[in-house]
Amino acid sequence: MLPIEDRNRVHERLLTFAETDDRIVGAALTGSRTVGDADRWSDLDLVLAVRDEPADAADSWTKWLYDEFGALHHWDLSSSPRIIRVFLLPGWLELDITFGPESEFGPRGPQWRTLFGQARSLEPFPAPDRDTLIGLAWHHALHTRICIERDRRWQAEHWIGALRTHIVTLACLRLGLPTAHAKGAHLLPEELTTPLEPTLVRSLDGTELRRALGATVTVLLDELERTDPGLAARLAPMFTQLTSL
């Protein structure tokens, strides 16, 4: 991993380049650097407000990053009209640069620090929809059982893991913690995380997959009971049927 001093030098070089690029009218940091929580494992996250066409600036910066830092690969995360381009630099340094129009330059969450330019007041990113998460949860439980019966064991393991992820997201949503990519999972109390440990699949044996499914469904019902006892009561007999057939 690239030492933090080298990461800081990359960061400073990026900002210098942004300040000298006439197409860039604003720059901001996002991520752990905005809250003083960066270490040698942290990504570099930069948002750039582009005067004209974001794609032209993104392509120009991409060439520069390959020439200047020896970038090894990049890919785009779809987020029109912005371009979120993710680079892999030597030393396993991930660099995420958002190229967007001036009208899209502004914080949508708490991790934001304007470096230069005029930040707009934008609507925050919407929280995950609870009903959708619950729907995905029972969907994944059902398809886990289907895959076990069809002897599709790797797919069954996939659905159990996805179901666990949605349970963690539901708990984080309820407690006001970060929900994306399990970023709030380490902040959950042990009374919630300890019951999740038995949901981990220890082998692809059919009996083990059924055990893990049952443990995961139990945790899901406990989470639903905290916010919607009526729904938990309606779904409980269905889950009992699913895990006992």
Side-chain angles (χ1 to χ4, degrees), residues 23-53:
R23 295 165 299 188
I24 306 303
V25 295
L29 293 180
T30 60
S32 57
R33 284 179 173 265
T34 64
V35 292
D37 197 28
D39 58 22
R40 71 188 187 98
W41 304 97
S42 300
D43 304 338
L44 296 181
D45 302 284
L46 186 64
V47 178
L48 301 176
V50 181
R51 188 189 308 277
D52 297 314
E53 176 54 49

mmCIF file of all heavy atoms in Angstrom, residues 23-53:
data_model
loop_
_atom_site.group_PDB
_atom_site.id
_atom_site.type_symbol
_atom_site.label_atom_id
_atom_site.label_comp_id
_atom_site.label_asym_id
_atom_site.label_seq_id
_atom_site.Cartn_x
_atom_site.Cartn_y
_atom_site.Cartn_z
ATOM 1 N N ARG A 23 -10.660 24.820 -17.411
ATOM 2 C CA ARG A 23 -12.004 24.224 -17.516
ATOM 3 C C ARG A 23 -12.607 23.951 -16.157
ATOM 4 O O ARG A 23 -13.820 23.773 -16.025
ATOM 5 C CB ARG A 23 -11.926 22.911 -18.305
ATOM 6 C CG ARG A 23 -11.506 23.062 -19.752
ATOM 7 C CD ARG A 23 -11.104 21.743 -20.351
ATOM 8 N NE ARG A 23 -9.959 21.174 -19.620
ATOM 9 C CZ ARG A 23 -9.300 20.098 -20.011
ATOM 10 N NH1 ARG A 23 -9.673 19.467 -21.114
ATOM 11 N NH2 ARG A 23 -8.278 19.640 -19.306
ATOM 12 N N ILE A 24 -11.773 23.897 -15.115
ATOM 13 C CA ILE A 24 -12.236 23.545 -13.771
ATOM 14 C C ILE A 24 -12.536 24.821 -12.996
ATOM 15 O O ILE A 24 -11.660 25.649 -12.768
ATOM 16 C CB ILE A 24 -11.183 22.708 -13.023
ATOM 17 C CG1 ILE A 24 -10.782 21.483 -13.864
ATOM 18 C CG2 ILE A 24 -11.713 22.284 -11.666
ATOM 19 C CD1 ILE A 24 -11.925 20.576 -14.254
ATOM 20 N N VAL A 25 -13.807 24.989 -12.593
ATOM 21 C CA VAL A 25 -14.222 26.211 -11.895
ATOM 22 C C VAL A 25 -14.536 25.945 -10.424
ATOM 23 O O VAL A 25 -14.890 26.873 -9.691
ATOM 24 C CB VAL A 25 -15.441 26.849 -12.597
ATOM 25 C CG1 VAL A 25 -15.069 27.312 -13.997
ATOM 26 C CG2 VAL A 25 -16.618 25.871 -12.645
ATOM 27 N N GLY A 26 -14.397 24.723 -9.998
ATOM 28 C CA GLY A 26 -14.638 24.397 -8.598
ATOM 29 C C GLY A 26 -14.065 23.033 -8.280
ATOM 30 O O GLY A 26 -13.986 22.157 -9.147
ATOM 31 N N ALA A 27 -13.622 22.883 -7.045
ATOM 32 C CA ALA A 27 -13.098 21.582 -6.595
ATOM 33 C C ALA A 27 -13.476 21.377 -5.139
ATOM 34 O O ALA A 27 -13.540 22.332 -4.353
ATOM 35 C CB ALA A 27 -11.580 21.506 -6.769
ATOM 36 N N ALA A 28 -13.731 20.128 -4.784
ATOM 37 C CA ALA A 28 -14.097 19.796 -3.404
ATOM 38 C C ALA A 28 -13.596 18.404 -3.070
ATOM 39 O O ALA A 28 -13.461 17.539 -3.945
ATOM 40 C CB ALA A 28 -15.612 19.856 -3.211
ATOM 41 N N LEU A 29 -13.326 18.220 -1.795
ATOM 42 C CA LEU A 29 -12.991 16.895 -1.280
ATOM 43 C C LEU A 29 -14.255 16.235 -0.754
ATOM 44 O O LEU A 29 -15.142 16.898 -0.206
ATOM 45 C CB LEU A 29 -11.983 17.000 -0.138
ATOM 46 C CG LEU A 29 -10.577 17.497 -0.447
ATOM 47 C CD1 LEU A 29 -9.755 17.510 0.835
ATOM 48 C CD2 LEU A 29 -9.917 16.629 -1.498
ATOM 49 N N THR A 30 -14.318 14.927 -0.915
ATOM 50 C CA THR A 30 -15.345 14.139 -0.238
ATOM 51 C C THR A 30 -14.638 12.958 0.438
ATOM 52 O O THR A 30 -13.443 12.770 0.293
ATOM 53 C CB THR A 30 -16.419 13.627 -1.224
ATOM 54 O OG1 THR A 30 -15.798 12.797 -2.211
ATOM 55 C CG2 THR A 30 -17.111 14.794 -1.913
ATOM 56 N N GLY A 31 -15.394 12.187 1.183
ATOM 57 C CA GLY A 31 -14.809 11.015 1.808
ATOM 58 C C GLY A 31 -14.127 11.305 3.130
ATOM 59 O O GLY A 31 -14.347 12.342 3.771
ATOM 60 N N SER A 32 -13.244 10.389 3.536
ATOM 61 C CA SER A 32 -12.658 10.421 4.876
ATOM 62 C C SER A 32 -11.768 11.631 5.124
ATOM 63 O O SER A 32 -11.586 12.049 6.270
ATOM 64 C CB SER A 32 -11.856 9.144 5.120
ATOM 65 O OG SER A 32 -10.845 8.974 4.144
ATOM 66 N N ARG A 33 -11.210 12.211 4.069
ATOM 67 C CA ARG A 33 -10.331 13.371 4.261
ATOM 68 C C ARG A 33 -11.098 14.597 4.765
ATOM 69 O O ARG A 33 -10.495 15.497 5.338
ATOM 70 C CB ARG A 33 -9.611 13.717 2.955
ATOM 71 C CG ARG A 33 -8.471 12.764 2.636
ATOM 72 C CD ARG A 33 -7.782 13.098 1.327
ATOM 73 N NE ARG A 33 -6.609 12.248 1.162
ATOM 74 C CZ ARG A 33 -5.384 12.593 1.500
ATOM 75 N NH1 ARG A 33 -5.155 13.789 2.009
ATOM 76 N NH2 ARG A 33 -4.374 11.757 1.321
ATOM 77 N N THR A 34 -12.379 14.628 4.569
ATOM 78 C CA THR A 34 -13.151 15.789 5.014
ATOM 79 C C THR A 34 -13.391 15.782 6.517
ATOM 80 O O THR A 34 -13.744 16.812 7.090
ATOM 81 C CB THR A 34 -14.509 15.842 4.300
ATOM 82 O OG1 THR A 34 -15.287 14.693 4.664
ATOM 83 C CG2 THR A 34 -14.319 15.873 2.798
ATOM 84 N N VAL A 35 -13.216 14.624 7.154
ATOM 85 C CA VAL A 35 -13.471 14.519 8.597
ATOM 86 C C VAL A 35 -12.214 14.139 9.364
ATOM 87 O O VAL A 35 -12.274 13.752 10.527
ATOM 88 C CB VAL A 35 -14.598 13.493 8.882
ATOM 89 C CG1 VAL A 35 -15.927 14.009 8.359
ATOM 90 C CG2 VAL A 35 -14.280 12.129 8.277
ATOM 91 N N GLY A 36 -11.055 14.250 8.703
ATOM 92 C CA GLY A 36 -9.793 13.955 9.367
ATOM 93 C C GLY A 36 -9.610 12.500 9.725
ATOM 94 O O GLY A 36 -8.906 12.176 10.678
ATOM 95 N N ASP A 37 -10.225 11.614 8.943
ATOM 96 C CA ASP A 37 -10.188 10.189 9.268
ATOM 97 C C ASP A 37 -9.407 9.379 8.243
ATOM 98 O O ASP A 37 -9.502 8.163 8.192
ATOM 99 C CB ASP A 37 -11.625 9.657 9.360
ATOM 100 C CG ASP A 37 -11.714 8.320 10.071
ATOM 101 O OD1 ASP A 37 -10.848 8.057 10.926
ATOM 102 O OD2 ASP A 37 -12.629 7.543 9.751
ATOM 103 N N ALA A 38 -8.606 10.050 7.417
ATOM 104 C CA ALA A 38 -7.876 9.366 6.352
ATOM 105 C C ALA A 38 -6.647 8.653 6.909
ATOM 106 O O ALA A 38 -6.010 9.125 7.859
ATOM 107 C CB ALA A 38 -7.465 10.357 5.272
ATOM 108 N N ASP A 39 -6.336 7.513 6.320
ATOM 109 C CA ASP A 39 -5.112 6.792 6.650
ATOM 110 C C ASP A 39 -4.529 6.233 5.357
ATOM 111 O O ASP A 39 -4.975 6.579 4.255
ATOM 112 C CB ASP A 39 -5.374 5.694 7.683
ATOM 113 C CG ASP A 39 -6.425 4.687 7.220
ATOM 114 O OD1 ASP A 39 -6.645 4.565 5.994
ATOM 115 O OD2 ASP A 39 -7.033 4.019 8.074
ATOM 116 N N ARG A 40 -3.544 5.344 5.471
ATOM 117 C CA ARG A 40 -2.871 4.850 4.267
ATOM 118 C C ARG A 40 -3.736 3.892 3.459
ATOM 119 O O ARG A 40 -3.328 3.460 2.383
ATOM 120 C CB ARG A 40 -1.547 4.182 4.635
ATOM 121 C CG ARG A 40 -1.645 2.844 5.343
ATOM 122 C CD ARG A 40 -0.288 2.390 5.821
ATOM 123 N NE ARG A 40 -0.292 1.031 6.356
ATOM 124 C CZ ARG A 40 0.076 -0.037 5.655
ATOM 125 N NH1 ARG A 40 0.465 0.100 4.410
ATOM 126 N NH2 ARG A 40 0.048 -1.239 6.199
ATOM 127 N N TRP A 41 -4.909 3.563 3.956
ATOM 128 C CA TRP A 41 -5.833 2.715 3.217
ATOM 129 C C TRP A 41 -6.917 3.530 2.505
ATOM 130 O O TRP A 41 -7.715 2.972 1.752
ATOM 131 C CB TRP A 41 -6.516 1.725 4.167
ATOM 132 C CG TRP A 41 -5.548 0.894 4.944
ATOM 133 C CD1 TRP A 41 -5.107 1.113 6.223
ATOM 134 C CD2 TRP A 41 -4.860 -0.269 4.496
ATOM 135 N NE1 TRP A 41 -4.206 0.161 6.604
ATOM 136 C CE2 TRP A 41 -4.029 -0.714 5.559
ATOM 137 C CE3 TRP A 41 -4.863 -0.996 3.310
ATOM 138 C CZ2 TRP A 41 -3.227 -1.838 5.461
ATOM 139 C CZ3 TRP A 41 -4.063 -2.125 3.225
ATOM 140 C CH2 TRP A 41 -3.250 -2.529 4.278
ATOM 141 N N SER A 42 -6.957 4.833 2.748
ATOM 142 C CA SER A 42 -8.059 5.655 2.263
ATOM 143 C C SER A 42 -7.934 5.956 0.767
ATOM 144 O O SER A 42 -6.833 6.144 0.241
ATOM 145 C CB SER A 42 -8.120 6.975 3.035
ATOM 146 O OG SER A 42 -8.320 6.755 4.413
ATOM 147 N N ASP A 43 -9.091 6.015 0.111
ATOM 148 C CA ASP A 43 -9.137 6.486 -1.272
ATOM 149 C C ASP A 43 -8.921 7.993 -1.302
ATOM 150 O O ASP A 43 -9.024 8.673 -0.271
ATOM 151 C CB ASP A 43 -10.505 6.188 -1.893
ATOM 152 C CG ASP A 43 -10.879 4.713 -1.836
ATOM 153 O OD1 ASP A 43 -9.961 3.887 -1.711
ATOM 154 O OD2 ASP A 43 -12.084 4.425 -1.905
ATOM 155 N N LEU A 44 -8.644 8.494 -2.496
ATOM 156 C CA LEU A 44 -8.680 9.937 -2.734
ATOM 157 C C LEU A 44 -9.959 10.232 -3.502
ATOM 158 O O LEU A 44 -10.206 9.635 -4.556
ATOM 159 C CB LEU A 44 -7.461 10.395 -3.536
ATOM 160 C CG LEU A 44 -6.090 10.242 -2.880
ATOM 161 C CD1 LEU A 44 -5.003 10.770 -3.811
ATOM 162 C CD2 LEU A 44 -6.041 10.970 -1.549
ATOM 163 N N ASP A 45 -10.777 11.133 -2.970
ATOM 164 C CA ASP A 45 -12.065 11.466 -3.581
ATOM 165 C C ASP A 45 -12.101 12.948 -3.896
ATOM 166 O O ASP A 45 -11.971 13.786 -2.988
ATOM 167 C CB ASP A 45 -13.211 11.108 -2.626
ATOM 168 C CG ASP A 45 -13.205 9.633 -2.248
ATOM 169 O OD1 ASP A 45 -13.611 8.829 -3.090
ATOM 170 O OD2 ASP A 45 -12.791 9.306 -1.119
ATOM 171 N N LEU A 46 -12.302 13.285 -5.168
ATOM 172 C CA LEU A 46 -12.265 14.672 -5.618
ATOM 173 C C LEU A 46 -13.465 14.928 -6.521
ATOM 174 O O LEU A 46 -13.778 14.117 -7.403
ATOM 175 C CB LEU A 46 -10.961 14.930 -6.381
ATOM 176 C CG LEU A 46 -10.643 16.354 -6.813
ATOM 177 C CD1 LEU A 46 -10.454 17.261 -5.599
ATOM 178 C CD2 LEU A 46 -9.381 16.368 -7.676
ATOM 179 N N VAL A 47 -14.141 16.054 -6.286
ATOM 180 C CA VAL A 47 -15.252 16.481 -7.139
ATOM 181 C C VAL A 47 -14.826 17.746 -7.862
ATOM 182 O O VAL A 47 -14.356 18.705 -7.232
ATOM 183 C CB VAL A 47 -16.528 16.750 -6.316
ATOM 184 C CG1 VAL A 47 -17.652 17.229 -7.230
ATOM 185 C CG2 VAL A 47 -16.953 15.498 -5.564
ATOM 186 N N LEU A 48 -14.986 17.768 -9.185
ATOM 187 C CA LEU A 48 -14.586 18.906 -10.003
ATOM 188 C C LEU A 48 -15.798 19.471 -10.732
ATOM 189 O O LEU A 48 -16.570 18.719 -11.343
ATOM 190 C CB LEU A 48 -13.530 18.494 -11.030
ATOM 191 C CG LEU A 48 -12.227 17.902 -10.466
ATOM 192 C CD1 LEU A 48 -11.325 17.457 -11.605
ATOM 193 C CD2 LEU A 48 -11.516 18.910 -9.572
ATOM 194 N N ALA A 49 -15.971 20.792 -10.646
ATOM 195 C CA ALA A 49 -17.002 21.487 -11.424
ATOM 196 C C ALA A 49 -16.377 21.909 -12.743
ATOM 197 O O ALA A 49 -15.368 22.622 -12.763
ATOM 198 C CB ALA A 49 -17.524 22.700 -10.663
ATOM 199 N N VAL A 50 -16.982 21.489 -13.849
ATOM 200 C CA VAL A 50 -16.416 21.712 -15.176
ATOM 201 C C VAL A 50 -17.208 22.799 -15.890
ATOM 202 O O VAL A 50 -18.439 22.763 -15.911
ATOM 203 C CB VAL A 50 -16.422 20.406 -15.987
ATOM 204 C CG1 VAL A 50 -15.806 20.622 -17.368
ATOM 205 C CG2 VAL A 50 -15.672 19.303 -15.238
ATOM 206 N N ARG A 51 -16.471 23.734 -16.480
ATOM 207 C CA ARG A 51 -17.121 24.877 -17.142
ATOM 208 C C ARG A 51 -17.936 24.429 -18.352
ATOM 209 O O ARG A 51 -19.045 24.913 -18.581
ATOM 210 C CB ARG A 51 -16.043 25.882 -17.574
ATOM 211 C CG ARG A 51 -16.610 27.201 -18.094
ATOM 212 C CD ARG A 51 -15.515 28.060 -18.702
ATOM 213 N NE ARG A 51 -14.383 28.243 -17.806
ATOM 214 C CZ ARG A 51 -14.327 29.150 -16.838
ATOM 215 N NH1 ARG A 51 -15.378 29.949 -16.621
ATOM 216 N NH2 ARG A 51 -13.254 29.264 -16.081
ATOM 217 N N ASP A 52 -17.414 23.533 -19.146
ATOM 218 C CA ASP A 52 -18.087 23.145 -20.383
ATOM 219 C C ASP A 52 -18.522 21.676 -20.313
ATOM 220 O O ASP A 52 -19.270 21.312 -19.434
ATOM 221 C CB ASP A 52 -17.168 23.411 -21.581
ATOM 222 C CG ASP A 52 -16.856 24.897 -21.743
ATOM 223 O OD1 ASP A 52 -17.805 25.702 -21.660
ATOM 224 O OD2 ASP A 52 -15.680 25.242 -21.934
ATOM 225 N N GLU A 53 -18.031 20.858 -21.216
ATOM 226 C CA GLU A 53 -18.466 19.479 -21.306
ATOM 227 C C GLU A 53 -17.645 18.594 -20.362
ATOM 228 O O GLU A 53 -16.425 18.481 -20.523
ATOM 229 C CB GLU A 53 -18.302 18.981 -22.747
ATOM 230 C CG GLU A 53 -18.619 17.514 -22.973
ATOM 231 C CD GLU A 53 -19.991 17.128 -22.479
ATOM 232 O OE1 GLU A 53 -20.963 17.834 -22.817
ATOM 233 O OE2 GLU A 53 -20.090 16.127 -21.732
#
